[in-house]
Amino acid sequence: MTRLGSLFAPEAPKAAPRAAETEQTIRAGATPGLAIADNSKVESTLRFDQELTLKGGKVNVDIPHSYRGDLVVTLTSPSGKSQTLSNREGGSADNVKGSFDLSAFAGESTKGDWKLTVEDKAKADVGTLKAWDLELTGTSKGEEPPPPTPDDPFQGLRDQALLKAIQGASSGKDVVSYNEARKQLFTNIDVHNGKVRDVYTHREINGGKIPNSNDVNTEHTWPQSKGATGDAKSDLHHLFPTDSKANSTRGSFPFGKVQNVQWSHPSGAKFGTDAQGRKVFEPPDEHKGNVARAMFYFSAEYNKRIPAEEESVLREWNKLDVVDAAELERNRRIAAVQGNENQFVLHSNLADRIQDF
């Protein structure tokens, strides 16, 4: 590893052998419970982060309705290809419930958002999109493994000595203004294929400009009311694009495991109380590790304590949702703007060598 200014640049890794192509089946489900009014349309989304070339599969739907002949049910793949599952079939019979074959999507990629749309085309009868799930079978592409992280520059250090060294690695950072930080999020750092995806509800908006804050805004993973002020307010390593309503629901509540749900989203985000009765917010599974590593970074960088109950959950999430290529790339983009990296992304096991944040 070489050091360029304040950035670490790992040497180019040797090519790794490609993995053998294997067949896998992946599953996901949702219970949106969306009311279907007369002459209206509802939508629900399931996201797969694993990329397979689809061979086949099925979608199971449970749509209680008093006149199924009113309904048009459509499934749309991440590429935009659609298949009509039921087109006003069944006349006056109740409910659309059962499995539908997905062979029409053969050859499609599983990765991305799959959208189920239910449209009521008539008056007098209503229903509910109660639940649905996808079972997709496909083959992996034998892609290269995620890029390796640099060698650990903090070998042998623990606790306060390690925290001090992590701070020292960021000594050259140049945090931009808050307005510039927001601009960077929505025009650069979180833009992929022209879109910005919010981390709590998985909504996508067009990138290229700062959106209306009443629609999509900027989440301070470490809340401003708990110390994210000054440079820390605009430190990109703990800022993420979020749906404004979900962001408002999270507020400044700690992260934790929700046992008694007061608010939830099909993405997996929840708000409610934990096993001890504390109000907590739980992000979707694929963002939990990102949250943990952003919190560890902020605590180390700005000498802020993480409450013991929250820290325990974050340590679990750091291992549950491991660093992937997308998080490494985001870390790299932030470093190019701000001049420092989140060492807990480069070396996620650093948290194990710090007894107490």
Side-chain angles (χ1 to χ4, degrees):
M1 178 177 65
T2 57
R3 184 176 175 88
L4 302 177
S6 59
L7 304 183
F8 288 104
E11 296 177 358
K14 295 180 180 179
R18 291 183 178 275
E21 187 173 281
T22 56
E23 185 173 296
Q24 301 176 54
T25 298
I26 55 179
R27 300 172 178 84
T31 54
L34 297 172
I36 308 167
D38 288 331
N39 293 305
S40 70
K41 179 171 65 176
V42 297
E43 296 178 344
S44 178
T45 300
L46 290 175
R47 182 175 182 85
F48 289 93
D49 291 322
Q50 187 170 359
E51 184 167 9
L52 304 176
T53 299
L54 192 64
K55 295 181 67 177
K58 63 182 180 179
V59 56
N60 303 302
V61 300
D62 185 1
I63 308 172
H65 197 278
S66 53
Y67 197 98
R68 63 179 291 172
D70 290 353
L71 300 180
V72 177
V73 183
T74 306
L75 180 68
T76 305
S77 72
S79 73
K81 182 177 181 178
S82 294
Q83 176 182 342
T84 300
L85 307 179
S86 180
N87 188 3
R88 306 193 71 174
E89 299 166 6
S92 61
D94 293 342
N95 312 329
V96 179
K97 185 173 183 178
S99 299
F100 298 86
D101 179 72
L102 299 182
S103 57
F105 291 103
E108 295 270 309
S109 171
T110 59
K111 185 175 182 178
D113 292 331
W114 291 76
K115 180 172 66 178
L116 186 73
T117 304
V118 183
E119 188 169 6
D120 188 308
K121 292 282 192 175
K123 298 180 179 179
D125 294 274
V126 295
T128 305
L129 173 50
K130 182 179 179 181
W132 69 293
D133 63 77
L134 280 170
E135 182 177 302
L136 306 178
T137 299
T139 55
S140 63
K141 294 183 177 180
E143 294 179 345
E144 301 289 350
T149 58
D151 294 333
D152 182 358
F154 310 109
Q155 194 66 42
L157 299 180
R158 302 184 66 87
D159 298 322
Q160 290 303 311
L162 177 54
L163 288 169
K164 185 176 181 180
I166 290 172
Q167 286 182 340
S170 291
S171 61
K173 77 176 187 289
D174 183 15
V175 177
V176 297
S177 69
Y178 184 56
N179 190 62
E180 179 63 20
R182 293 168 63 226
K183 179 181 177 181
Q184 287 292 335
L185 284 186
F186 294 103
T187 66
N188 171 22
I189 290 166
D190 287 302
V191 179
H192 300 279
N193 298 319
K195 299 288 186 179
V196 174
R197 182 172 182 254
D198 113 73
V199 296
Y200 287 161
T201 71
H202 299 165
R203 282 181 56 205
E204 285 191 343
I205 63 171
N206 292 327
K209 65 177 182 179
I210 300 174
N212 186 323
S213 61
N214 292 322
D215 181 34
V216 173
N217 56 23
T218 303
E219 165 72 309
H220 290 75
T221 307
W222 193 289
Q224 297 182 68
S225 62
K226 295 184 178 180
T229 58
D231 280 354
K233 176 181 177 180
S234 53
D235 191 316
L236 289 159
H237 284 297
H238 82 115
L239 303 184
F240 293 93
T242 47
D243 174 85
S244 61
K245 292 181 180 178
N247 192 353
S248 178
T249 299
R250 189 263 161 142
S252 59
F253 289 104
F255 294 104
K257 298 179 183 178
V258 174
Q259 296 291 322
N260 301 297
V261 179
Q262 298 175 11
W263 171 91
S264 66
H265 190 273
S267 65
K270 305 172 192 173
F271 173 75
T273 56
D274 64 11
Q276 287 72 45
R278 294 182 291 262
K279 289 186 176 182
V280 294
F281 185 86
E282 183 173 343
D285 285 347
E286 69 273 14
H287 190 57
K288 285 176 176 173
N290 305 61
V291 163
R293 291 178 282 275
M295 292 288 284
F296 295 157
Y297 165 86
F298 195 98
S299 174
E301 191 71 15
Y302 297 102
N303 297 311
K304 298 293 183 181
R305 294 294 305 276
I306 302 176
E309 299 84 359
E310 186 175 18
E311 181 180 332
S312 176
V313 172
L314 294 176
R315 289 183 183 274
E316 288 185 32
W317 291 353
N318 185 44
K319 296 182 182 297
L320 172 71
D321 173 30
V322 298
V323 176
D324 57 17
E327 191 175 1
L328 286 170
E329 171 60 16
R330 187 178 198 270
N331 193 40
R332 186 199 66 78
R333 291 186 183 189
I334 292 174
V337 174
Q338 187 170 290
N340 75 320
E341 296 167 297
N342 181 347
Q343 298 297 331
F344 295 97
V345 172
L346 292 179
H347 318 284
S348 60
N349 63 348
L350 289 180
D352 298 335
R353 288 153 52 189
I354 297 171
Q355 186 174 11
D356 183 21
F357 282 95

